[in-house]
Amino acid sequence: MENKFHFFHYIHFLLLLSSSCFSLVAFSWIPYNENKNYEGSSDLVNLEYHMGPVLSSPIKLYVIWYGHWNPSHQATIRDFLNSFSSSYAPHPSVADWWRTVRLYTDQTGQNISTISLSGEFFDFKYSQGKYLSRLSMQYVIKNAVRSYRVSIPLNYKNGVYLVLTSYDVQVQEFCRAVCGFHYFTFPSILGVTVPYAWVGYSGKQCPGFCAYPFAWPKNSGKPPPNTRNGGNNLMGAPNGDPGVDGMISVIAHELAEVSSNPLVNAWYAGDNPISPTEIADLCLGVYGTGAGGGYVGQVYKDFWGNGFNLHGVKGRKFLVQWVWNPLRRRCFGPNAMD
């Protein structure tokens, strides 16, 4: 069957650009407010398919490390990304979590496919500077695929590009409105249309905004209890760094949505593609059964009391938010108790 990325026609780009004026699909994660979520089954959610493509060919993920990165942080993220394609981690695993995302189909009935880490590029020279606009993300990708050094391929058939910015890089609206976003490249910049996502490391700039429940905003009172029996202690980060562990869930969020809504015309709730509610947006702050009101739900604790809900490769543990299950019509994750 024809590769889905190949028919990301220029006409889609023109239509969307004219209607959105480059209003990117953004993930605004503000977990310390009581956002609406749907941990229980709900008929109130009007999640619809808008006839656009999903990523139904095996997804090749290319990571661009922008800036100066701590090698241990990179190792944690790399192990998480490799966990999507691993069948060796015990249940509930990252691969189990991705199976919910794979329930989404296109108009031909083809499901979202598997995802695997297929290449990395290290932009340690800050090719676009230390302040990035949303549009400049596309130039980061352009530099990575056209670098005179070892580059990553420009894969317009089944490639997805993930830009990860380091602690010292400021990004437009980062820490104020968004922790990450996804969109697609413009042919006028890259020559082709490919989907991509960006996520920033918040450990230095805004852990209370983007690394909940491992951090809490200053001057916001006590955090909500992390167990039903009370207690306002913040949850320990399973991999030792709140910024990285918080980033893991944002990465999962964006990968789920770029796969189910790559051109902003596939799966989302509402009638406005400029500001859609996508499959992970519906489940912000939900990590386990019973979640709500700032409570993350029932999750596991490791030997040191750090919270997690998924297993990964090399014995790793991660805490990842749930996504909307279209068959159960509710937020769901493989650690669900029901």
Side-chain angles (χ1 to χ4, degrees):
M1 183 174 180
E2 183 181 8
N3 287 315
K4 297 301 172 187
F5 288 87
H6 194 49
F7 67 75
F8 286 175
H9 292 311
Y10 190 52
I11 187 65
H12 285 291
F13 161 73
L14 292 176
L15 290 172
L16 285 170
L17 183 59
S18 64
S19 65
S20 67
C21 296
F22 195 48
S23 294
L24 297 178
V25 178
F27 166 30
S28 299
W29 199 27
I30 311 177
Y32 41 91
N33 289 338
E34 285 197 32
N35 292 315
K36 290 184 178 180
N37 60 56
Y38 300 90
E39 192 270 319
S41 179
S42 176
D43 293 325
L44 300 176
V45 176
N46 186 29
L47 183 69
E48 294 181 338
Y49 177 55
H50 297 264
M51 305 306 291
V54 301
L55 305 188
S56 59
S57 296
I59 303 164
K60 291 187 177 296
L61 182 65
Y62 302 98
V63 174
I64 300 170
W65 303 97
Y66 192 89
H68 286 286
W69 276 89
N70 182 319
S72 66
H73 294 173
Q74 289 178 304
T76 300
I77 295 171
R78 188 177 294 113
D79 287 346
F80 174 69
L81 296 176
N82 281 322
S83 297
F84 281 105
S85 57
S86 173
S87 59
Y88 297 105
H91 179 81
S93 68
V94 175
D96 293 331
W97 183 90
W98 189 252
R99 289 190 181 96
T100 298
V101 179
R102 294 196 64 196
L103 294 174
Y104 289 87
T105 62
D106 63 14
Q107 57 186 307
T108 69
Q110 294 294 307
N111 293 80
I112 291 174
S113 190
T114 56
I115 184 169
S116 60
L117 179 59
S118 301
E120 300 177 59
F121 181 80
F122 302 89
D123 194 340
F124 56 86
K125 292 187 177 181
Y126 304 87
S127 64
Q128 307 304 311
K130 288 191 175 183
Y131 176 83
L132 301 178
S133 67
R134 293 175 182 244
L135 185 60
S136 63
M137 291 294 171
Q138 299 192 33
Y139 290 97
V140 171
I141 298 171
K142 181 178 180 180
N143 175 70
V145 299
R146 296 184 178 179
S147 174
Y148 66 90
R149 298 182 289 112
V150 177
S151 61
I152 50 179
L154 178 56
N155 184 348
Y156 63 89
K157 292 184 177 180
N158 60 342
V160 172
Y161 296 83
L162 177 62
V163 180
L164 303 177
T165 50
S166 60
Y167 72 96
D168 55 345
V169 177
Q170 296 184 13
V171 176
Q172 180 183 359
E173 296 187 321
F174 182 38
C175 294
R176 294 184 299 276
V178 299
C179 302
F181 65 77
H182 73 87
Y183 206 58
F184 54 87
T185 62
F186 298 163
S188 60
I189 294 176
L190 205 61
V192 294
T193 300
V194 293
Y196 72 91
W198 157 78
V199 179
Y201 174 77
S202 66
K204 295 291 185 181
Q205 297 185 45
C206 58
F209 188 79
C210 293
Y212 180 81
F214 308 118
W216 188 251
K218 295 180 180 179
N219 305 317
S220 297
K222 291 183 178 180
N226 59 36
T227 68
R228 279 298 188 197
N229 296 324
N232 295 106
N233 295 326
L234 287 170
M235 186 172 290
N239 295 286
D241 185 90
V244 168
D245 278 297
M247 196 176 182
I248 292 294
S249 190
V250 184
I251 290 172
H253 179 120
E254 296 304 332
L255 291 179
E257 292 184 343
V258 76
S259 299
S260 58
N261 197 27
L263 292 183
V264 205
N265 61 356
W267 287 97
Y268 61 87
D271 299 322
N272 185 1
I274 297 176
S275 182
T277 299
E278 300 175 287
I279 69 170
D281 295 326
L282 290 165
C283 304
L284 292 176
V286 178
Y287 298 83
T289 300
Y295 170 60
V296 301
Q298 298 182 48
V299 298
Y300 307 113
K301 296 292 183 70
D302 64 17
F303 179 80
W304 297 275
N306 301 316
F308 72 97
N309 62 359
L310 299 177
H311 294 278
V313 300
K314 301 179 182 178
R316 293 278 194 184
K317 297 175 175 63
F318 306 103
L319 186 71
V320 176
Q321 71 150 95
W322 287 3
V323 294
W324 186 260
N325 185 308
L327 302 183
R328 297 173 181 263
R329 294 191 57 79
R330 55 170 288 194
C331 296
F332 186 78
N335 62 307
M337 301 298 182
D338 54 356

